[in-house]
mmCIF file of all heavy atoms in Angstrom:
data_model
loop_
_atom_site.group_PDB
_atom_site.id
_atom_site.type_symbol
_atom_site.label_atom_id
_atom_site.label_comp_id
_atom_site.label_asym_id
_atom_site.label_seq_id
_atom_site.Cartn_x
_atom_site.Cartn_y
_atom_site.Cartn_z
ATOM 1 N N LYS A 1 1.997 13.866 12.445
ATOM 2 C CA LYS A 1 1.564 14.609 11.260
ATOM 3 C C LYS A 1 0.790 13.701 10.318
ATOM 4 O O LYS A 1 0.947 12.478 10.311
ATOM 5 C CB LYS A 1 2.755 15.228 10.534
ATOM 6 C CG LYS A 1 3.664 14.220 9.836
ATOM 7 C CD LYS A 1 4.751 14.926 9.041
ATOM 8 C CE LYS A 1 5.654 13.907 8.344
ATOM 9 N NZ LYS A 1 6.684 14.548 7.513
ATOM 10 N N TYR A 2 -0.078 14.342 9.535
ATOM 11 C CA TYR A 2 -0.676 13.719 8.373
ATOM 12 C C TYR A 2 0.091 14.231 7.158
ATOM 13 O O TYR A 2 0.444 15.408 7.088
ATOM 14 C CB TYR A 2 -2.140 14.117 8.173
ATOM 15 C CG TYR A 2 -3.069 13.979 9.348
ATOM 16 C CD1 TYR A 2 -4.242 14.729 9.401
ATOM 17 C CD2 TYR A 2 -2.809 13.100 10.404
ATOM 18 C CE1 TYR A 2 -5.135 14.615 10.454
ATOM 19 C CE2 TYR A 2 -3.689 12.987 11.465
ATOM 20 C CZ TYR A 2 -4.854 13.749 11.494
ATOM 21 O OH TYR A 2 -5.734 13.640 12.534
ATOM 22 N N THR A 3 0.314 13.367 6.188
ATOM 23 C CA THR A 3 0.848 13.787 4.895
ATOM 24 C C THR A 3 -0.140 13.375 3.827
ATOM 25 O O THR A 3 -0.407 12.192 3.652
ATOM 26 C CB THR A 3 2.220 13.159 4.609
ATOM 27 O OG1 THR A 3 3.164 13.591 5.598
ATOM 28 C CG2 THR A 3 2.727 13.581 3.235
ATOM 29 N N VAL A 4 -0.709 14.364 3.145
ATOM 30 C CA VAL A 4 -1.672 14.087 2.093
ATOM 31 C C VAL A 4 -1.090 14.532 0.759
ATOM 32 O O VAL A 4 -0.583 15.651 0.634
ATOM 33 C CB VAL A 4 -3.035 14.779 2.374
ATOM 34 C CG1 VAL A 4 -2.888 16.265 2.596
ATOM 35 C CG2 VAL A 4 -4.028 14.509 1.243
ATOM 36 N N ASN A 5 -1.093 13.629 -0.214
ATOM 37 C CA ASN A 5 -0.628 13.920 -1.559
ATOM 38 C C ASN A 5 -1.844 14.140 -2.445
ATOM 39 O O ASN A 5 -2.772 13.328 -2.469
ATOM 40 C CB ASN A 5 0.231 12.770 -2.089
ATOM 41 C CG ASN A 5 1.477 12.565 -1.262
ATOM 42 O OD1 ASN A 5 2.158 13.521 -0.904
ATOM 43 N ND2 ASN A 5 1.785 11.319 -0.926
ATOM 44 N N LEU A 6 -1.841 15.246 -3.187
ATOM 45 C CA LEU A 6 -3.019 15.659 -3.945
ATOM 46 C C LEU A 6 -2.669 15.986 -5.380
ATOM 47 O O LEU A 6 -1.631 16.592 -5.656
ATOM 48 C CB LEU A 6 -3.637 16.917 -3.306
ATOM 49 C CG LEU A 6 -4.012 16.848 -1.830
ATOM 50 C CD1 LEU A 6 -3.325 17.963 -1.061
ATOM 51 C CD2 LEU A 6 -5.514 16.945 -1.653
ATOM 52 N N ASN A 7 -3.547 15.582 -6.303
ATOM 53 C CA ASN A 7 -3.430 16.052 -7.680
ATOM 54 C C ASN A 7 -3.836 17.513 -7.734
ATOM 55 O O ASN A 7 -4.870 17.903 -7.188
ATOM 56 C CB ASN A 7 -4.342 15.235 -8.595
ATOM 57 C CG ASN A 7 -3.782 13.860 -8.884
ATOM 58 O OD1 ASN A 7 -2.568 13.677 -8.967
ATOM 59 N ND2 ASN A 7 -4.654 12.876 -9.039
ATOM 60 N N LEU A 8 -3.033 18.337 -8.414
ATOM 61 C CA LEU A 8 -3.348 19.762 -8.495
ATOM 62 C C LEU A 8 -4.183 20.068 -9.734
ATOM 63 O O LEU A 8 -5.304 20.551 -9.636
ATOM 64 C CB LEU A 8 -2.062 20.592 -8.483
ATOM 65 C CG LEU A 8 -2.228 22.104 -8.354
ATOM 66 C CD1 LEU A 8 -3.064 22.454 -7.137
ATOM 67 C CD2 LEU A 8 -0.872 22.788 -8.266
ATOM 68 N N GLY A 9 -3.652 19.792 -10.921
ATOM 69 C CA GLY A 9 -4.439 19.938 -12.132
ATOM 70 C C GLY A 9 -4.812 21.364 -12.488
ATOM 71 O O GLY A 9 -5.743 21.594 -13.265
ATOM 72 N N LEU A 10 -4.129 22.350 -11.916
ATOM 73 C CA LEU A 10 -4.376 23.763 -12.213
ATOM 74 C C LEU A 10 -3.044 24.460 -12.471
ATOM 75 O O LEU A 10 -1.999 24.037 -11.949
ATOM 76 C CB LEU A 10 -5.088 24.454 -11.053
ATOM 77 C CG LEU A 10 -6.505 23.998 -10.702
ATOM 78 C CD1 LEU A 10 -6.942 24.641 -9.387
ATOM 79 C CD2 LEU A 10 -7.474 24.334 -11.814
ATOM 80 N N SER A 11 -3.095 25.539 -13.231
ATOM 81 C CA SER A 11 -1.912 26.357 -13.476
ATOM 82 C C SER A 11 -2.084 27.717 -12.808
ATOM 83 O O SER A 11 -3.201 28.211 -12.666
ATOM 84 C CB SER A 11 -1.689 26.551 -14.980
ATOM 85 O OG SER A 11 -1.488 25.307 -15.627
ATOM 86 N N ASN A 12 -0.973 28.299 -12.390
ATOM 87 C CA ASN A 12 -0.952 29.636 -11.790
ATOM 88 C C ASN A 12 -1.863 29.732 -10.568
ATOM 89 O O ASN A 12 -2.673 30.660 -10.439
ATOM 90 C CB ASN A 12 -1.338 30.689 -12.838
ATOM 91 C CG ASN A 12 -0.417 30.685 -14.032
ATOM 92 O OD1 ASN A 12 0.797 30.590 -13.885
ATOM 93 N ND2 ASN A 12 -0.978 30.769 -15.234
ATOM 94 N N VAL A 13 -1.707 28.783 -9.682
ATOM 95 C CA VAL A 13 -2.499 28.757 -8.449
ATOM 96 C C VAL A 13 -2.064 29.896 -7.535
ATOM 97 O O VAL A 13 -0.868 30.095 -7.282
ATOM 98 C CB VAL A 13 -2.353 27.397 -7.746
ATOM 99 C CG1 VAL A 13 -2.918 27.444 -6.325
ATOM 100 C CG2 VAL A 13 -3.046 26.313 -8.554
ATOM 101 N N THR A 14 -3.046 30.637 -7.027
ATOM 102 C CA THR A 14 -2.767 31.792 -6.167
ATOM 103 C C THR A 14 -3.140 31.566 -4.704
ATOM 104 O O THR A 14 -2.762 32.359 -3.847
ATOM 105 C CB THR A 14 -3.552 33.012 -6.668
ATOM 106 O OG1 THR A 14 -4.956 32.670 -6.712
ATOM 107 C CG2 THR A 14 -3.086 33.427 -8.054
ATOM 108 N N GLY A 15 -3.889 30.507 -4.425
ATOM 109 C CA GLY A 15 -4.315 30.294 -3.045
ATOM 110 C C GLY A 15 -4.756 28.874 -2.788
ATOM 111 O O GLY A 15 -5.113 28.123 -3.710
ATOM 112 N N LEU A 16 -4.734 28.503 -1.511
ATOM 113 C CA LEU A 16 -5.182 27.188 -1.057
ATOM 114 C C LEU A 16 -6.224 27.369 0.031
ATOM 115 O O LEU A 16 -6.153 28.310 0.829
ATOM 116 C CB LEU A 16 -4.009 26.370 -0.528
ATOM 117 C CG LEU A 16 -2.901 26.011 -1.525
ATOM 118 C CD1 LEU A 16 -1.754 25.305 -0.806
ATOM 119 C CD2 LEU A 16 -3.439 25.133 -2.654
ATOM 120 N N ARG A 17 -7.172 26.446 0.066
ATOM 121 C CA ARG A 17 -8.226 26.467 1.082
ATOM 122 C C ARG A 17 -8.209 25.162 1.866
ATOM 123 O O ARG A 17 -8.124 24.086 1.284
ATOM 124 C CB ARG A 17 -9.598 26.638 0.416
ATOM 125 C CG ARG A 17 -10.772 26.598 1.392
ATOM 126 C CD ARG A 17 -12.109 26.734 0.685
ATOM 127 N NE ARG A 17 -12.432 25.542 -0.107
ATOM 128 C CZ ARG A 17 -13.580 25.380 -0.770
ATOM 129 N NH1 ARG A 17 -14.497 26.339 -0.759
ATOM 130 N NH2 ARG A 17 -13.789 24.272 -1.470
ATOM 131 N N LEU A 18 -8.299 25.270 3.189
ATOM 132 C CA LEU A 18 -8.446 24.122 4.070
ATOM 133 C C LEU A 18 -9.805 24.206 4.753
ATOM 134 O O LEU A 18 -10.070 25.149 5.500
ATOM 135 C CB LEU A 18 -7.332 24.097 5.123
ATOM 136 C CG LEU A 18 -7.500 23.074 6.250
ATOM 137 C CD1 LEU A 18 -7.524 21.645 5.714
ATOM 138 C CD2 LEU A 18 -6.401 23.246 7.297
ATOM 139 N N GLU A 19 -10.656 23.223 4.500
ATOM 140 C CA GLU A 19 -11.924 23.110 5.203
ATOM 141 C C GLU A 19 -11.807 22.018 6.264
ATOM 142 O O GLU A 19 -11.332 20.914 5.966
ATOM 143 C CB GLU A 19 -13.045 22.742 4.243
ATOM 144 C CG GLU A 19 -13.308 23.741 3.139
ATOM 145 C CD GLU A 19 -14.264 23.175 2.120
ATOM 146 O OE1 GLU A 19 -13.800 22.434 1.222
ATOM 147 O OE2 GLU A 19 -15.484 23.440 2.241
ATOM 148 N N VAL A 20 -12.221 22.313 7.478
ATOM 149 C CA VAL A 20 -12.360 21.289 8.510
ATOM 150 C C VAL A 20 -13.855 21.039 8.655
ATOM 151 O O VAL A 20 -14.636 21.963 8.870
ATOM 152 C CB VAL A 20 -11.695 21.707 9.830
ATOM 153 C CG1 VAL A 20 -10.184 21.696 9.673
ATOM 154 C CG2 VAL A 20 -12.154 23.075 10.301
ATOM 155 N N LEU A 21 -14.258 19.780 8.522
ATOM 156 C CA LEU A 21 -15.651 19.426 8.313
ATOM 157 C C LEU A 21 -16.185 18.549 9.445
ATOM 158 O O LEU A 21 -15.421 17.839 10.110
ATOM 159 C CB LEU A 21 -15.788 18.683 6.981
ATOM 160 C CG LEU A 21 -15.234 19.422 5.754
ATOM 161 C CD1 LEU A 21 -15.147 18.481 4.561
ATOM 162 C CD2 LEU A 21 -16.089 20.629 5.438
ATOM 163 N N ASP A 22 -17.491 18.580 9.620
ATOM 164 C CA ASP A 22 -18.097 17.718 10.630
ATOM 165 C C ASP A 22 -18.358 16.325 10.064
ATOM 166 O O ASP A 22 -18.363 16.111 8.848
ATOM 167 C CB ASP A 22 -19.383 18.342 11.187
ATOM 168 C CG ASP A 22 -20.429 18.624 10.115
ATOM 169 O OD1 ASP A 22 -20.192 18.277 8.936
ATOM 170 O OD2 ASP A 22 -21.475 19.199 10.451
ATOM 171 N N ASP A 23 -18.561 15.371 10.953
ATOM 172 C CA ASP A 23 -18.875 14.003 10.567
ATOM 173 C C ASP A 23 -19.450 13.296 11.785
ATOM 174 O O ASP A 23 -18.951 13.482 12.909
ATOM 175 C CB ASP A 23 -17.618 13.267 10.079
ATOM 176 C CG ASP A 23 -17.958 11.947 9.405
ATOM 177 O OD1 ASP A 23 -18.193 11.958 8.175
ATOM 178 O OD2 ASP A 23 -18.030 10.911 10.103
ATOM 179 N N PRO A 24 -20.498 12.489 11.616
ATOM 180 C CA PRO A 24 -21.122 11.835 12.761
ATOM 181 C C PRO A 24 -20.222 10.837 13.486
ATOM 182 O O PRO A 24 -20.498 10.469 14.637
ATOM 183 C CB PRO A 24 -22.337 11.135 12.151
ATOM 184 C CG PRO A 24 -22.052 11.039 10.690
ATOM 185 C CD PRO A 24 -21.240 12.249 10.361
ATOM 186 N N SER A 25 -19.123 10.422 12.847
ATOM 187 C CA SER A 25 -18.211 9.489 13.503
ATOM 188 C C SER A 25 -17.272 10.178 14.492
ATOM 189 O O SER A 25 -16.587 9.503 15.274
ATOM 190 C CB SER A 25 -17.378 8.749 12.460
ATOM 191 O OG SER A 25 -16.473 9.629 11.799
ATOM 192 N N LEU A 26 -17.227 11.514 14.477
ATOM 193 C CA LEU A 26 -16.302 12.278 15.314
ATOM 194 C C LEU A 26 -16.978 12.728 16.606
ATOM 195 O O LEU A 26 -18.204 12.885 16.647
ATOM 196 C CB LEU A 26 -15.786 13.496 14.541
ATOM 197 C CG LEU A 26 -15.056 13.202 13.226
ATOM 198 C CD1 LEU A 26 -14.774 14.491 12.473
ATOM 199 C CD2 LEU A 26 -13.761 12.439 13.490
ATOM 200 N N PRO A 27 -16.200 12.965 17.668
ATOM 201 C CA PRO A 27 -16.778 13.459 18.927
ATOM 202 C C PRO A 27 -17.549 14.759 18.705
ATOM 203 O O PRO A 27 -17.020 15.683 18.074
ATOM 204 C CB PRO A 27 -15.549 13.669 19.822
ATOM 205 C CG PRO A 27 -14.508 12.750 19.262
ATOM 206 C CD PRO A 27 -14.744 12.726 17.778
ATOM 207 N N THR A 28 -18.770 14.832 19.195
ATOM 208 C CA THR A 28 -19.679 15.970 18.992
ATOM 209 C C THR A 28 -19.732 16.397 17.521
ATOM 210 O O THR A 28 -19.896 17.569 17.215
ATOM 211 C CB THR A 28 -19.320 17.178 19.887
ATOM 212 O OG1 THR A 28 -18.082 17.765 19.450
ATOM 213 C CG2 THR A 28 -19.180 16.766 21.352
ATOM 214 N N ASN A 29 -19.549 15.451 16.615
ATOM 215 C CA ASN A 29 -19.554 15.652 15.157
ATOM 216 C C ASN A 29 -18.311 16.355 14.620
ATOM 217 O O ASN A 29 -18.260 16.706 13.442
ATOM 218 C CB ASN A 29 -20.804 16.417 14.711
ATOM 219 C CG ASN A 29 -22.064 15.589 14.871
ATOM 220 O OD1 ASN A 29 -22.075 14.401 14.579
ATOM 221 N ND2 ASN A 29 -23.125 16.215 15.352
ATOM 222 N N GLY A 30 -17.308 16.596 15.479
ATOM 223 C CA GLY A 30 -16.069 17.195 15.008
ATOM 224 C C GLY A 30 -16.159 18.711 14.906
ATOM 225 O O GLY A 30 -16.998 19.321 15.565
ATOM 226 N N PRO A 31 -15.266 19.290 14.107
ATOM 227 C CA PRO A 31 -14.413 18.695 13.072
ATOM 228 C C PRO A 31 -13.117 18.058 13.574
ATOM 229 O O PRO A 31 -12.378 17.468 12.796
ATOM 230 C CB PRO A 31 -14.101 19.885 12.160
ATOM 231 C CG PRO A 31 -14.095 21.058 13.096
ATOM 232 C CD PRO A 31 -15.165 20.771 14.106
ATOM 233 N N GLY A 32 -12.843 18.183 14.853
ATOM 234 C CA GLY A 32 -11.648 17.576 15.427
ATOM 235 C C GLY A 32 -11.972 16.265 16.115
ATOM 236 O O GLY A 32 -13.119 15.809 16.161
ATOM 237 N N MET A 33 -10.950 15.666 16.721
ATOM 238 C CA MET A 33 -11.072 14.346 17.336
ATOM 239 C C MET A 33 -10.949 14.376 18.852
ATOM 240 O O MET A 33 -10.960 13.311 19.487
ATOM 241 C CB MET A 33 -10.023 13.396 16.753
ATOM 242 C CG MET A 33 -10.118 13.217 15.243
ATOM 243 S SD MET A 33 -8.899 12.059 14.566
ATOM 244 C CE MET A 33 -9.614 10.483 15.075
ATOM 245 N N TYR A 34 -10.847 15.575 19.445
ATOM 246 C CA TYR A 34 -10.711 15.601 20.900
ATOM 247 C C TYR A 34 -12.019 15.138 21.538
ATOM 248 O O TYR A 34 -13.109 15.595 21.174
ATOM 249 C CB TYR A 34 -10.338 16.989 21.394
ATOM 250 C CG TYR A 34 -9.906 16.977 22.846
ATOM 251 C CD1 TYR A 34 -8.846 16.178 23.253
ATOM 252 C CD2 TYR A 34 -10.570 17.731 23.805
ATOM 253 C CE1 TYR A 34 -8.446 16.147 24.579
ATOM 254 C CE2 TYR A 34 -10.174 17.705 25.130
ATOM 255 C CZ TYR A 34 -9.117 16.904 25.510
ATOM 256 O OH TYR A 34 -8.726 16.870 26.831
ATOM 257 N N SER A 35 -11.907 14.234 22.490
ATOM 258 C CA SER A 35 -13.053 13.450 22.950
ATOM 259 C C SER A 35 -14.156 14.268 23.598
ATOM 260 O O SER A 35 -15.330 13.900 23.530
ATOM 261 C CB SER A 35 -12.581 12.370 23.935
ATOM 262 O OG SER A 35 -11.925 12.965 25.049
ATOM 263 N N THR A 36 -13.833 15.384 24.245
ATOM 264 C CA THR A 36 -14.848 16.112 24.999
ATOM 265 C C THR A 36 -15.610 17.148 24.184
ATOM 266 O O THR A 36 -16.752 17.482 24.513
ATOM 267 C CB THR A 36 -14.232 16.813 26.223
ATOM 268 O OG1 THR A 36 -13.244 17.750 25.762
ATOM 269 C CG2 THR A 36 -13.597 15.806 27.158
ATOM 270 N N ASN A 37 -14.998 17.667 23.112
ATOM 271 C CA ASN A 37 -15.666 18.753 22.391
ATOM 272 C C ASN A 37 -15.433 18.775 20.877
ATOM 273 O O ASN A 37 -15.875 19.702 20.201
ATOM 274 C CB ASN A 37 -15.253 20.113 22.975
ATOM 275 C CG ASN A 37 -13.742 20.333 22.946
ATOM 276 O OD1 ASN A 37 -13.024 19.674 22.207
ATOM 277 N ND2 ASN A 37 -13.261 21.265 23.758
ATOM 278 N N GLY A 38 -14.739 17.784 20.326
ATOM 279 C CA GLY A 38 -14.525 17.751 18.878
ATOM 280 C C GLY A 38 -13.608 18.832 18.350
ATOM 281 O O GLY A 38 -13.681 19.195 17.170
ATOM 282 N N ASN A 39 -12.725 19.329 19.192
ATOM 283 C CA ASN A 39 -11.797 20.372 18.774
ATOM 284 C C ASN A 39 -10.508 19.762 18.219
ATOM 285 O O ASN A 39 -10.287 18.539 18.284
ATOM 286 C CB ASN A 39 -11.473 21.294 19.965
ATOM 287 C CG ASN A 39 -10.905 22.636 19.533
ATOM 288 O OD1 ASN A 39 -10.974 23.017 18.367
ATOM 289 N ND2 ASN A 39 -10.335 23.360 20.477
ATOM 290 N N PHE A 40 -9.656 20.590 17.693
ATOM 291 C CA PHE A 40 -8.339 20.184 17.214
ATOM 292 C C PHE A 40 -7.384 21.346 17.408
ATOM 293 O O PHE A 40 -7.799 22.494 17.613
ATOM 294 C CB PHE A 40 -8.386 19.804 15.725
ATOM 295 C CG PHE A 40 -8.723 20.952 14.825
ATOM 296 C CD1 PHE A 40 -7.743 21.808 14.334
ATOM 297 C CD2 PHE A 40 -10.045 21.207 14.466
ATOM 298 C CE1 PHE A 40 -8.061 22.891 13.523
ATOM 299 C CE2 PHE A 40 -10.368 22.278 13.648
ATOM 300 C CZ PHE A 40 -9.377 23.117 13.184
ATOM 301 N N VAL A 41 -6.094 21.061 17.357
ATOM 302 C CA VAL A 41 -5.054 22.084 17.252
ATOM 303 C C VAL A 41 -4.142 21.672 16.100
ATOM 304 O O VAL A 41 -3.419 20.679 16.196
ATOM 305 C CB VAL A 41 -4.243 22.241 18.546
ATOM 306 C CG1 VAL A 41 -3.101 23.234 18.321
ATOM 307 C CG2 VAL A 41 -5.128 22.703 19.697
ATOM 308 N N LEU A 42 -4.215 22.424 15.012
ATOM 309 C CA LEU A 42 -3.352 22.164 13.864
ATOM 310 C C LEU A 42 -2.157 23.106 13.964
ATOM 311 O O LEU A 42 -2.252 24.301 13.696
ATOM 312 C CB LEU A 42 -4.123 22.388 12.563
ATOM 313 C CG LEU A 42 -3.387 22.060 11.258
ATOM 314 C CD1 LEU A 42 -2.794 20.662 11.291
ATOM 315 C CD2 LEU A 42 -4.329 22.217 10.077
ATOM 316 N N THR A 43 -1.031 22.543 14.376
ATOM 317 C CA THR A 43 0.139 23.337 14.728
ATOM 318 C C THR A 43 0.738 24.059 13.536
ATOM 319 O O THR A 43 1.046 25.254 13.601
ATOM 320 C CB THR A 43 1.212 22.437 15.366
ATOM 321 O OG1 THR A 43 0.635 21.719 16.453
ATOM 322 C CG2 THR A 43 2.399 23.245 15.854
ATOM 323 N N GLU A 44 0.932 23.333 12.473
ATOM 324 C CA GLU A 44 1.638 23.899 11.322
ATOM 325 C C GLU A 44 1.213 23.161 10.054
ATOM 326 O O GLU A 44 0.888 21.968 10.089
ATOM 327 C CB GLU A 44 3.153 23.787 11.509
ATOM 328 C CG GLU A 44 3.976 24.678 10.620
ATOM 329 C CD GLU A 44 3.990 26.142 11.052
ATOM 330 O OE1 GLU A 44 3.504 26.459 12.158
ATOM 331 O OE2 GLU A 44 4.503 26.980 10.272
ATOM 332 N N VAL A 45 1.215 23.885 8.947
ATOM 333 C CA VAL A 45 0.942 23.324 7.630
ATOM 334 C C VAL A 45 2.159 23.591 6.757
ATOM 335 O O VAL A 45 2.633 24.729 6.673
ATOM 336 C CB VAL A 45 -0.315 23.957 7.006
ATOM 337 C CG1 VAL A 45 -0.404 23.641 5.519
ATOM 338 C CG2 VAL A 45 -1.572 23.487 7.732
ATOM 339 N N ASN A 46 2.665 22.545 6.140
ATOM 340 C CA ASN A 46 3.849 22.639 5.294
ATOM 341 C C ASN A 46 3.498 22.096 3.917
ATOM 342 O O ASN A 46 3.134 20.928 3.777
ATOM 343 C CB ASN A 46 5.000 21.841 5.916
ATOM 344 C CG ASN A 46 6.321 22.078 5.228
ATOM 345 O OD1 ASN A 46 6.451 21.841 4.031
ATOM 346 N ND2 ASN A 46 7.316 22.528 5.974
ATOM 347 N N VAL A 47 3.586 22.930 2.890
ATOM 348 C CA VAL A 47 3.172 22.559 1.541
ATOM 349 C C VAL A 47 4.395 22.457 0.641
ATOM 350 O O VAL A 47 5.254 23.353 0.628
ATOM 351 C CB VAL A 47 2.180 23.591 0.955
ATOM 352 C CG1 VAL A 47 1.761 23.185 -0.462
ATOM 353 C CG2 VAL A 47 0.954 23.723 1.857
ATOM 354 N N GLN A 48 4.465 21.376 -0.122
ATOM 355 C CA GLN A 48 5.560 21.177 -1.055
ATOM 356 C C GLN A 48 5.011 20.817 -2.424
ATOM 357 O O GLN A 48 4.045 20.048 -2.545
ATOM 358 C CB GLN A 48 6.509 20.089 -0.561
ATOM 359 C CG GLN A 48 7.250 20.474 0.725
ATOM 360 C CD GLN A 48 8.113 19.345 1.245
ATOM 361 O OE1 GLN A 48 7.652 18.217 1.364
ATOM 362 N NE2 GLN A 48 9.353 19.653 1.549
#
């Protein structure tokens, strides 16, 4: 797992957005790290 800690700085938050982005350092530019096609499988997201 990755654990990312983030400053929120907002009140009464109603939603969260996750963007998966491309990058030239990733296989086929990503957004994942799988070597043949830049895919990923994100099993679960747990927010606290």
Side-chain angles (χ1 to χ4, degrees):
K1 70 175 180 177
Y2 309 157
T3 298
V4 55
N5 298 315
L6 305 124
N7 284 327
L8 189 54
L10 295 171
S11 299
N12 301 317
V13 168
T14 56
L16 297 175
R17 177 182 70 176
L18 170 62
E19 299 170 277
V20 289
L21 305 168
D22 58 3
D23 192 89
S25 68
L26 301 172
T28 69
N29 291 319
M33 301 181 75
Y34 192 57
S35 59
T36 61
N37 57 19
N39 199 14
F40 65 87
V41 175
L42 184 52
T43 306
E44 197 76 10
V45 166
N46 190 301
V47 180
Q48 294 176 311

